[in-house]
Amino acid sequence: MKQNTLRIRSRSLPLSLRVKQRVLTVLLLLLLVTLIAMIASVAYGEYPIPPLAVIQTVLGLEENSDYTFVVNTLRLPRTLVASLVGLALAISGAIMQGITRNPLADPGIIGVNAGASLAAVSLIVLFPSVPVGFLPISAFGGALAVSLLIYFLAWEGGSSPLRLILIGVGIATVIGACTSVITTFGEINSVSQALVWLAGSVYGRSWEQVFAFLPWLIVFLPLALVKTRQLNALALGDEIATGLGCHIEWQRGWLLLISTALAGSAVATAGAIGFVGLMAPHMARQLVGATHGGLLPVAGVMGAMLVVVADLIGRTLFAPIEIPCGIVTAVIGAPYFVYLLVQQRGK
Amino acid sequence: MRAFLLCKKSGKARSPSTTVEDFAATVWIKPTKLLIEFGNKLRVVFDDAYPSGSLVRCDCNYFAAILQQNEGMTEVSNWKSRSPVLGLIASIGVLVICLFISIALGAADISLKTIYEAIAVFDGSTEHLIIRTVRIPRSLLAILVGAATAIAGAIMQGISHNPLADPEILGINAGAAIAVVVAIFIFGTSEPSFYVWCAFLGAGTSAVSVYLLGSLGRGGLTPLNLTIAGAAIAALLSALTTGILIISQRTLDEIRFWLAGSVAGRDYAIIAQVLPYIVIGLVLALALASQINILNLGEDVAKGLGQKTAWVKIAAAVAVLLLAGSAVAAAGPIGFVGLVVPHIVRLLIGVDYRWILPYSAVFGAILLLASDVVARLVIRPQELPVGIVTALVGAPFFVYLARMKVSK
């Protein structure tokens, strides 16, 4: 089947880009859907605002001061955080599935989220006086430490994808035990607060979090996109990748670092939102195929849409009780996981 | 036909087909209780299920199937033919010593003489009261929970061919946890008798779903599929648990000590609650031991030997449920005991589940007692939940297993 492709070539730079038309179409459509979801997310809530007014407020055309406060101070940053976190988690998951060659890998299952969670929960419960700004740094530190640990433990004359997953699950369990010790002995109110965070929530996120998170994306998203060729090679298997001239250990290490940075900073911003890193890449793969050049951006937008929608569901379904969006994604994600397992069997 | 046959890995490993051809087409064996060594390659063990003097025909397909199943089975080289009874008695001795240590050490240290007096000539003093109402029930519970968890782990590993099986890893504990949390949230009761049933229900549901999920994946019930299915279910359940705990701080306050896994502060009432189920589970497990031996050779071989594998698996699952369910009901989710103990036992006494199960019970009890002593001594006068100690002991072991056993 012939695929229509667009070629973009620069005369001065050693750069060329080939984009499948299908990827472009899907990407644009998804972006549109995500944008609508984001507008809906800003519009609906305890104080509903007409969608048109939302757009006008964001563009600075609306005079109503109630609207401007609710939209600009409360809902817009929250929605932005949700979408950015979804983006990061999905791309992180796609990379992880590529390097482990396991379609069921996910930063949550593999223990990266657990590491970030442990670091953040200990900060919230044990050092309540530390300013909130340190939360992302410590969570990222936790994620990085855990993924390094898993990588080294899985190393035996080379890292094996299978060992990465199994050891990841084991380490995640231990870290979960450590987290539960902290939640057992901590002061009950701060534990309660930490739990919201453990479940993954974008509640009460402000511009501060958006700006703290953005640098991570600005650094690591382009890095991920640059590495897609190596990722494609790794996904074919170690031997073929070596044959293609790819230094597998070095590249796997790099990609793992990028994936960890994205997942870690996302968990740092919004807590452990599970299953997004699992679901989004699959949905993307069904839409545009398994080549990572197209897969990563599509998965990213898909992830953004998932988290925005999950947050919207979580806060409207049982209002006034607010369900953290991580729980909504888990409830959606688990059946999807089953579906994937069944589907995999046919292959 | 009740027999099992093991391929010895020491010396040069040979491919199954050549070994079988070495054997000639048909082998005739007189099946009393006997153990036959064929050179350095094969051992045949028959139990005495046949009237002595009758002949059993083992054709070469049967040998080939068994050999294929056992290829790469390293435990076999550690097969000990001498009677393991002495070892079992010795380990029970160690268990008793651990029991005394566990009663003696803690926030207040107590001498052996006082322990004896508290049991024999109770005088109502504070120390005697501590021993009778705090230390002894706690230690007994640790023994029960340790034994039950370890046997549950051993059975799980035996029937699923999964060296990484453990109630915690495979999401059974998470299932029990959410059921208990939901019950407390809805009914507001923290009555232990209520816990037990909820824990059973939750453990059962999640065990069945993990098992089904794991067998849905490519290649069936591989260790990887089971582990991932367990991790996914555990992730979902703990997300839901967290959700409930966020909504209700009262539930959180009531349940968080239980959730971390601990045998502290339990009284005789809880022991009495779970004891019947543990005993039934134990008896069922021991009765199934030789069936598990056969199943452990692989589903096809077991079927070829005339075993109704589905029934054995269901019975084994019931035993696992009773044991793991009561353990988690009584002490909260305690991980890695069920993982570590059966492996150590196999290293010591080989692959016969008729011995693995009782050994696992004793070793599991010792491990949990010892972990509990450590948990209460490290940050004296505060206490760690014992679940964290077993996790810290078990994790390196899990990593080791994942590296060694599942590398292929």
Side-chain angles (χ1 to χ4, degrees), chain B residues 19 76 128 146 183 248 300 358 377 385:
Chain B
T19 331
V76 178
H128 284 192
S248 160
D300 295 339
L377 290 187

Side-chain angles (χ1 to χ4, degrees), chain A residues 34 37-38 41 79 82-83 303-313 315:
Chain A
T34 312
M38 286 173 77
S41 166
T79 308
S83 60
M305 190 192 74
L306 280 175
V307 177
V308 170
V309 171
D311 178 44
L312 186 60
I313 294 176
R315 91 181 113 99

